[in-house]
Amino acid sequence: MKKSTVRGFTIVELLIVVVVIAVLAAITTVAYNGIQKRARDGQRKQDIAAIQKALEMYYIDNNEYPPGSGSTSINGSWSTTADGSWANLETELKPYLSKLPADPISTPNQPLSGTTGYNYSYFADQAGTYCSTTRGQVYILNYHLENETSVQTMDACPAGNTVGPYSGNTIRRVK
């Protein structure tokens, strides 16, 4: 009679396969997270563009930007998605934008600060203290991007008037 032999994989071969699968899974996870961050940043940019458009239409009708108000997480002169004050700005912009967007991963009770906080925040200079303008002629719209960082200066203001270190500050001044 013939002796039958059973062939199988060695432990080394199995370990190599497991390691290769683990490396492929790690690469896929990292790539997927990067794609998600870029998608959320794209959504943020679209949201901010829509808000800016509504603010400009408001300005055309009222000769000033709407006031920010009610924030408990920044100060009472701001509106932010970090608390309930975003509804105040939404009310002001209702004729121009039916629903005011919020950050895709909004972080309640955490206003923008350096590298944390994913919220939109809005301020309009109602005292006329920025850039030597009159009331309601300057607004600041803050948002935080996940893949980009920048510090922007206020448009047409003297050097040193920085607003940040947030990424994505939009500062508008009527000239």
Side-chain angles (χ1 to χ4, degrees):
M1 260 176 110
K2 277 181 143 180
K3 191 175 186 185
S4 70
T5 58
V6 178
R7 294 195 40 96
F9 295 105
T10 67
I11 191 86
V12 173
E13 291 170 328
L14 288 173
L15 285 174
I16 290 172
V17 169
V18 169
V19 168
V20 168
I21 291 172
V23 167
L24 290 173
I27 290 170
T28 303
T29 302
V30 169
Y32 180 70
N33 286 339
I35 290 168
Q36 284 185 316
K37 287 179 180 181
R38 285 192 302 275
R40 286 190 299 263
D41 282 353
Q43 182 62 50
R44 287 179 183 101
K45 290 175 182 179
Q46 287 179 348
D47 290 350
I48 295 303
I51 295 168
Q52 284 180 292
K53 186 175 181 181
L55 288 168
E56 296 306 324
M57 289 189 292
Y58 182 98
Y59 184 87
I60 289 168
D61 289 346
N62 298 287
N63 295 320
E64 67 180 18
Y65 293 108
S69 64
S71 176
T72 56
S73 58
I74 301 175
N75 71 46
S77 300
W78 286 76
S79 293
T80 180
T81 56
D83 55 38
S85 63
W86 200 239
N88 298 339
L89 182 60
E90 185 171 42
T91 300
E92 293 287 334
L93 296 179
K94 195 71 156 177
Y96 313 102
L97 189 63
S98 60
K99 175 86 172 112
L100 202 56
D103 189 275
I105 57 170
S106 201
T107 49
N109 301 316
Q110 187 177 11
L112 290 173
S113 64
T115 58
T116 62
Y118 289 97
N119 290 295
Y120 300 155
S121 300
Y122 169 81
F123 167 80
D125 182 17
Q126 297 299 307
T129 56
Y130 287 91
C131 300
S132 303
T133 62
T134 58
R135 177 183 191 277
Q137 303 302 299
V138 174
Y139 73 79
I140 301 169
L141 191 54
N142 289 332
Y143 59 102
H144 186 164
L145 299 175
E146 294 176 73
N147 280 333
E148 301 174 28
T149 58
S150 67
V151 175
Q152 298 182 3
T153 57
M154 297 179 85
D155 181 28
C157 286
N161 282 343
T162 60
V163 180
Y166 315 118
S167 61
N169 292 325
T170 300
I171 298 95
R172 172 78 165 97
R173 176 182 179 206
V174 175
K175 298 175 184 168

